[in-house]
Amino acid sequence: MSILDVKIMQDYIRACNDGWEQGWHERNGGNLTYRMRAEEVEACRPYFNAPREWVKMDVCAPHLGGEYFLTTGSGKFFRNVVLDPAHSIGIVEINDEGNAWRVVWGLENGARPTSEFPSHFLNHAVRVKATDGACRVIYHAHPANIIAMTYTLPLTAKAFSRALWQSATECPVVFPGGVGVVPWMVPGGADIALATSKQMEEFEAVVWAHHGLFCSGPDLDITFGLMHTIEKAAEIYNLVMSTGGGKVLQTITDENLLAIAKDFGVQLREDFLD
Ligand code: 13P
Ligand code: ZN
């Protein structure tokens, strides 16, 4: 047995590789964190190394004190996760105050959690509250089509949510609450973490202008599926704009969107309709 036989480790590594295969993770682009269940921590604990030193964060979330997170490493390539997990990903423990982490497994040779760990951590903090503890995953990727949309659409939640909903019929069912948008900011620090987590109070997915997308969810499948659905809708949006030269003859109307929401029993954000 090794830690790599534990199911959550296998599922997490598979999710990283799936993202690589989608083309969302050039070089070290993107990062994935998973808040582990108590039983998953116990299944992994026999394989933990001696903990490293605590590293203080510029952000704090006391209600995440004592949690354990699986995280991709800063500067590590999603492409390599399946080949070399121990150097590419790791498990970090959060201190009781909720303002520091320490590596207990992986991230070998002194690697650190993703540079976006502050954003992941604050997003977890907000989504755990917004979902009564159900949220476990924060996933950041660099899918080309959603990034391209941030050059041609106003950077508002309404403009993005509506354009995506109208690009594929399943979208209003998969993310009836819409998506948030953060304008261009320097990545990797507390400022962008705060701006993103503010959006995550309302939205389960947040676009980073000219950079990528953050998705949240209760498990790896649902969160990966949300990223996939949004990016596919963005691809359709861009295809329509480029093939049609910006001219749209017909689309999914606001009445259509409301009809889908009614039949599928989801609460669409109606203030995003015209
Ligand atoms: P990391 O390699 O530190 O995870 O950074 C990648 C990235 O996408 C930054 O936004
Ligand atoms: Zn990024």
Side-chain angles (χ1 to χ4, degrees):
M1 279 287 283
S2 94
I3 196 168
L4 302 177
D5 294 315
V6 177
K7 179 147 189 340
I8 188 57
M9 300 299 289
Q10 295 179 347
D11 291 348
Y12 180 92
I13 291 167
R14 175 174 165 232
C16 290
N17 202 56
D18 286 350
W20 156 248
E21 287 182 347
Q22 288 295 328
W24 299 338
H25 299 288
E26 77 292 341
R27 203 175 182 281
N28 64 309
N31 18 79
L32 176 65
T33 56
Y34 173 80
R35 186 171 60 88
M36 298 172 78
R37 295 174 186 279
E39 59 271 26
E40 292 164 343
V41 175
E42 292 323 307
C44 292
R45 197 182 294 280
Y47 310 101
F48 284 177
N49 305 124
R52 286 189 221 156
E53 71 291 355
W54 289 108
V55 178
K56 189 100 187 305
M57 298 185 280
D58 286 339
V59 297
C60 179
H63 65 290
L64 294 183
E67 295 276 3
Y68 288 77
F69 288 90
L70 263 161
T71 177
T72 47
S74 185
K76 300 299 178 182
F77 294 18
F78 270 56
R79 180 173 163 250
N80 291 336
V81 169
V82 73
L83 299 173
D84 187 7
H87 288 86
S88 307
I89 63 172
I91 298 175
V92 294
E93 178 186 2
I94 304 299
N95 66 345
D96 287 341
E97 295 94 308
N99 64 1
W101 51 261
R102 65 177 179 181
V103 177
V104 296
W105 177 82
L107 296 173
E108 282 179 8
N109 291 348
R112 295 163 66 95
T114 169
S115 61
E116 304 296 2
F117 198 76
S119 278
H120 283 252
F121 189 68
L122 283 194
N123 289 339
H124 277 288
V126 163
R127 294 309 298 171
V128 160
K129 282 191 181 159
T131 61
D132 258 342
C135 177
R136 296 205 165 265
V137 185
I138 300 290
Y139 182 25
H140 168 56
H142 295 174
N145 285 287
I146 194 77
I147 297 171
M149 281 177 75
T150 67
Y151 292 83
T152 59
L153 265 185
L155 296 175
T156 66
K158 177 176 175 178
F160 270 78
S161 302
R162 205 151 171 276
L164 292 166
W165 287 341
Q166 291 184 317
S167 296
T169 296
E170 99 223 66
C171 286
V173 180
V174 176
F175 50 99
V179 301
V181 181
V182 167
W184 188 88
M185 292 179 76
V186 175
D191 289 348
I192 197 166
L194 279 167
T196 312
S197 63
K198 188 95 200 82
Q199 293 289 305
M200 284 253 169
E201 287 172 8
E202 272 184 79
F203 302 105
E204 58 191 357
V206 177
V207 177
W208 274 9
H210 321 319
H211 184 142
L213 181 61
F214 267 83
C215 289
S216 66
D219 62 33
L220 293 162
D221 278 355
I222 300 278
T223 314
F224 190 92
L226 181 60
M227 182 77 68
H228 206 177
T229 305
I230 291 174
E231 171 58 5
K232 178 118 186 234
E235 182 178 6
I236 294 166
Y237 177 86
N238 292 336
L239 281 171
V240 169
M241 286 300 142
S242 50
T243 56
K247 206 169 116 197
V248 173
L249 285 187
Q250 55 276 321
T251 185
I252 302 170
T253 64
D254 287 353
E255 291 71 40
N256 296 155
L257 290 171
L258 287 169
I260 298 167
K262 184 162 170 280
D263 267 29
F264 283 80
V266 295
Q267 188 58 50
L268 198 70
R269 247 195 93 150
E270 292 188 20
D271 55 322
F272 286 174
L273 303 180
D274 274 346

